[in-house]
């Protein structure tokens, strides 16, 4: 019934919301076919690394559903532009890794043999970084999608002032002065 269907579709949207609200970067490591809900989960991730064999489709319309599902109509145009997002959501066609990278949907495309290593290396690099600053950056990227430039500038001024009071900022300064790598906690 409609109530049950709405409960289900809200639950799938909640998954995407939780990925976006998570205070840590989320990296999608993509190999093979990513379609429908899987494509939306990849889209909701902060970064996407794919193997050369990967392909992706937002194929909801091919099964009689709206292409606007799980945040796709909100997030996809912001990554690839309105024209390309419209085409992908209207047709439900697959695109290969090279095309997904060319249009900005994938951040990196690597050989299949290197996918796990590349994904892990990026995750470890981010994990060694200042977690608080990364969390604030993720929050600002999301908040500023729907704000004016002047509002964005004020949000960023406030975010930087908060970060400047965090111990990670002091650690970065001390590391710079001591000519060493920072040890963020």
């Amino acid at each position: 019934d409609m109530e049950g269907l709405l409960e289900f579709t809200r639950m799938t949207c909640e998954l995407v919301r939780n990925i976006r609200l998570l205070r840590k970067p989320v990296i999608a490591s993509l190999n093979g076919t990513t379609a429908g809900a899987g494509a939306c989960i990849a889209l909701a991730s902060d970064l996407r690394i794919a193997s050369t064999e990967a392909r992706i489709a937002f194929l909801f319309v091919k099964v009689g559903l709206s292409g606007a599902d799980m945040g796709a109509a909100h997030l996809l145009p912001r990554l690839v532009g309105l024209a390309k997002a419209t085409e992908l959501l209207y047709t439900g066609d697959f695109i290969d890794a090279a095309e997904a990278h060319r249009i900005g949907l994938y951040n990196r495309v690597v050989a299949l043999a290197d996918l796990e290593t590349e994904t892990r290396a990026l995750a470890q690099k981010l994990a060694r970084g200042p977690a608080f600053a990364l969390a604030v950056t993720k929050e600002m990227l999301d908040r500023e999608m729907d704000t004016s430039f002047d509002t964005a500038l004020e949000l960023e001024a406030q975010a930087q002032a908060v970060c400047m009071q965090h111990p990670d900022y002091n650690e970065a300064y001390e590391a710079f002065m001591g000519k060493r790598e920072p040890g963020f906690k």
Side-chain angles (χ1 to χ4, degrees):
D1 65 358
M2 184 61 174
E3 186 178 318
L5 292 171
L6 191 53
E7 182 181 339
F8 172 75
T9 56
R10 284 183 174 149
M11 182 266 306
T12 62
C13 289
E14 192 65 24
L15 170 64
V16 169
R17 179 182 290 112
N18 288 336
I19 292 170
R20 295 307 319 142
L21 291 175
L22 187 65
R23 301 228 355 125
K24 297 178 181 180
V26 175
I27 304 170
S29 185
L30 308 167
N31 179 39
T33 299
T34 304
C40 291
I41 292 168
L43 180 62
S45 300
D46 298 296
L47 301 165
R48 286 152 300 283
I49 301 176
S51 77
T52 52
E53 289 81 17
R55 61 190 203 127
I56 191 167
F58 299 87
L59 49 64
F60 299 107
V61 296
K62 287 194 172 189
V63 296
L65 298 174
S66 168
D69 191 24
M70 297 176 67
H74 180 82
L75 296 170
L76 192 58
R78 286 162 171 80
L79 285 181
V80 304
L82 182 59
K84 193 62 180 180
T86 301
E87 177 185 345
L88 293 173
L89 295 177
Y90 279 5
T91 66
D93 290 343
F94 278 95
I95 56 172
D96 64 19
E99 175 68 1
H101 184 255
R102 188 188 70 74
I103 65 173
L105 181 55
Y106 291 169
N107 298 87
R108 299 180 189 175
V109 174
V110 300
L112 174 59
D114 299 328
L115 181 61
E116 185 177 344
T117 302
E118 290 285 329
T119 303
R120 188 174 308 281
L122 180 56
Q124 289 171 342
K125 178 180 182 176
L126 295 176
R128 285 189 304 272
F132 184 76
L134 286 169
V136 170
T137 301
K138 181 173 180 171
E139 179 186 350
M140 290 300 103
L141 284 167
D142 279 342
R143 288 181 69 187
E144 291 182 31
M145 275 198 229
D146 299 317
T147 64
S148 70
F149 184 62
D150 286 339
T151 300
L153 290 174
E154 179 59 24
L155 287 170
E156 290 181 12
Q158 291 175 23
Q160 288 298 57
V162 169
C163 286
M164 288 174 179
Q165 295 179 351
H166 194 275
D168 284 349
Y169 180 70
N170 187 58
E171 170 57 19
Y173 174 79
E174 294 296 327
F176 176 78
M177 296 306 289
K179 296 183 176 29
R180 63 173 173 79
E181 288 295 315
F184 299 113
K185 295 183 168 89

